[in-house]
Amino acid sequence: MVALPTDQSGGLAVAVSDPVQVRIDADGAHSPTNERGGESVIEFPEPVDGQVARFDLDRTTDWVTAELTRPRYSSGTPMRVVGQCDGPDPEVLLPIEVVLWPTGDVLASTQISCDGDEAGDEIEIPADAGATLDIRLPSIPDGVGRAWVSLEPATPES
């Protein structure tokens, strides 16, 4: 697999891995689950107004589907990270980081339980951040069928 991530200076870098089977269609890029995901009862909600970034992961079929919205600038409004994770062990936690894009500097971190319930935390973004924000999931526990995470205003816009 070849990827073109953005490096620290904002330019493009090249990352190459061992060969991986990938299917690309109108819904994005998909890779085989290799038994890492399971069934899920959660559904992906509609995006809220003012959403800054969102990540949706579905490993309930033969192919993994992962979709990340493009990050955008966040104003100085209070923000929250909210999400839902469904896995076989409700004690398992999904780590979430709010990062400065494109450098990847971590501005805040939180976690949600993979018990299938929606959860979230209001987060403090440094006042001098004033930049494009993104969300990153540093690891996804085995057995998680579906997960979604959103970075959005603490009080959604009406």
Side-chain angles (χ1 to χ4, degrees):
M1 173 179 273
V2 176
L4 301 171
T6 306
D7 64 18
Q8 299 253 4
S9 67
L12 290 179
V14 177
V16 180
S17 75
D18 292 331
V20 184
Q21 186 178 10
V22 176
R23 183 185 82 213
I24 299 175
D25 60 24
D27 294 325
H30 316 274
S31 63
T33 60
N34 295 325
E35 303 298 324
R36 296 188 61 195
E39 294 182 12
S40 179
V41 295
I42 68 172
E43 297 295 328
F44 298 124
E46 292 296 318
V48 301
D49 289 337
Q51 181 175 281
V52 173
R54 172 141 162 196
F55 179 80
D56 293 334
L57 173 71
D58 188 350
R59 299 195 303 189
T60 61
T61 65
D62 291 340
W63 293 83
V64 173
T65 303
E67 182 179 349
L68 176 65
T69 61
R70 295 275 183 218
R72 65 183 184 117
Y73 180 78
S74 171
S75 65
T77 63
M79 301 296 293
R80 72 179 182 151
V81 174
V82 63
Q84 197 173 12
C85 178
D86 193 9
D89 183 355
E91 299 298 315
V92 169
L93 298 173
L94 179 68
I96 304 163
E97 297 174 339
V98 177
V99 298
L100 192 58
W101 188 88
T103 65
D105 295 337
V106 178
L107 300 177
S109 61
T110 188
Q111 56 192 11
I112 59 173
S113 171
C114 289
D115 61 5
D117 293 333
E118 185 174 315
D121 288 319
E122 192 164 322
I123 56 169
E124 294 274 337
I125 302 296
D128 60 346
T132 304
L133 303 177
D134 198 1
I135 49 178
R136 176 171 60 202
L137 306 180
S139 64
I140 299 172
D142 283 344
V144 168
R146 278 195 187 124
W148 64 269
V149 178
S150 176
L151 176 62
E152 56 194 50
T155 305
E157 298 171 4
S158 50

